[in-house]
Amino acid sequence: IDVTCSLSEFDLQLIGADRFLVVDFEAISFIARAGKKPEVDVKLREVRFEGALSFVETLRSLIPLDGFSDPPSLDVTPAGITSSFSLALPNIAVGVFSLENLSFAAALNVPFVGGSLETSFSFCTREDPFRLTVSLFAGGGFFGITLTPAGIKRLEAAFEFGAAVALNFGVASGSLSVMAGIYFKMELEDGREDATLSGYFRARGEVDVLGIISASIELYL
């Protein structure tokens, strides 16, 4: 049994007056052949951030448009197909300026029954945010969005700012950081929009002695 499905020349964007993210697809194809692993090929022509998300338009150059073609991660279940990839970005350091722990990830979910096509993009994650340091001042954050033809299914972002310092005395080294930030999440579930906006304070310290003894403590409020 051979199964072949394809959809070509279409855009995925918000319906309504507001436009946030527009994904221009050249084609999506799915091929399943007896005795072989399923094949998913997604060709993206362009990804555009618009409206309230125009501030992340500079990230567009980081998106590999061929990442979904023969993707590194492909999961085919009776519920649908999930194709995804992630990309670690190099650190940037110039003088007292340092931008570290950068990553980009994207996923495409095509359900077989019910639901609709979902596309998600994320710049770093909540568990592993990027870090920005300028002298003693530091910050970080992450941004993620999941989009369907009906609108935004999930939008999550956090940004923080504070101070950080690292010490090294040879036999012992450690770091201390104090951060304050904001967290925002908007989610569409069962036709209802839920939004969350919160602020937080986070203090963290760690120490290491000759690689034999290490300790860390974090206060989150």
Side-chain angles (χ1 to χ4, degrees), residues 8-220:
S8 60
E9 302 297 337
F10 68 97
D11 289 346
L12 182 63
Q13 65 184 45
L14 284 180
I15 298 175
D18 297 327
R19 292 160 60 96
F20 294 93
L21 177 64
V22 178
V23 184
D24 186 2
F25 289 88
E26 183 177 338
I28 296 179
S29 63
F30 170 71
I31 302 173
R33 295 186 175 93
K36 297 183 178 180
K37 70 174 185 177
E39 299 177 17
V40 174
D41 189 13
V42 180
K43 296 180 180 179
L44 296 178
R45 182 178 289 112
E46 187 180 21
V47 178
R48 300 190 306 274
F49 294 93
E50 300 183 352
L53 298 183
S54 58
F55 72 97
V56 294
E57 175 68 11
T58 53
L59 299 179
R60 186 178 64 173
S61 60
L62 304 177
I63 301 176
L65 298 182
D66 59 349
F68 287 122
S69 182
D70 191 19
S73 177
L74 180 64
D75 186 21
V76 181
T77 67
I81 309 167
T82 300
S83 173
S84 61
F85 69 91
S86 59
L87 178 67
L89 304 176
N91 297 335
I92 301 174
V94 180
V96 296
F97 173 87
S98 175
L99 188 59
E100 303 173 312
N101 203 40
L102 303 175
S103 65
F104 176 82
L108 176 70
N109 181 42
V110 183
F112 291 144
V113 180
S116 61
L117 181 74
E118 292 183 5
T119 306
S120 62
F121 298 94
S122 64
F123 180 63
C124 300
T125 64
R126 184 176 185 178
E127 296 79 15
D128 202 13
F130 70 85
R131 293 189 298 269
L132 171 64
T133 305
V134 181
S135 189
L136 293 178
F137 299 100
F142 72 95
F143 170 81
I145 186 172
T146 300
L147 186 66
T148 72
I152 292 180
K153 182 178 181 180
R154 184 183 180 92
L155 173 64
E156 192 177 25
F159 300 97
E160 62 183 19
F161 180 79
V165 62
L167 303 174
N168 191 335
F169 299 104
V171 296
S173 62
S175 64
L176 175 67
S177 63
V178 179
M179 300 285 179
I182 59 171
Y183 168 75
F184 174 75
K185 181 177 74 172
M186 184 176 67
E187 202 166 15
L188 180 64
E189 188 172 354
D190 298 328
R192 185 186 64 183
E193 276 191 4
D194 290 329
T196 301
L197 177 63
S198 59
Y200 64 89
F201 170 82
R202 181 168 60 87
R204 187 176 191 277
E206 60 183 3
V207 64
D208 181 88
V209 181
L210 295 176
I212 302 174
I213 302 174
S214 62
S216 65
I217 185 172
E218 184 174 55
L219 173 66
Y220 188 86

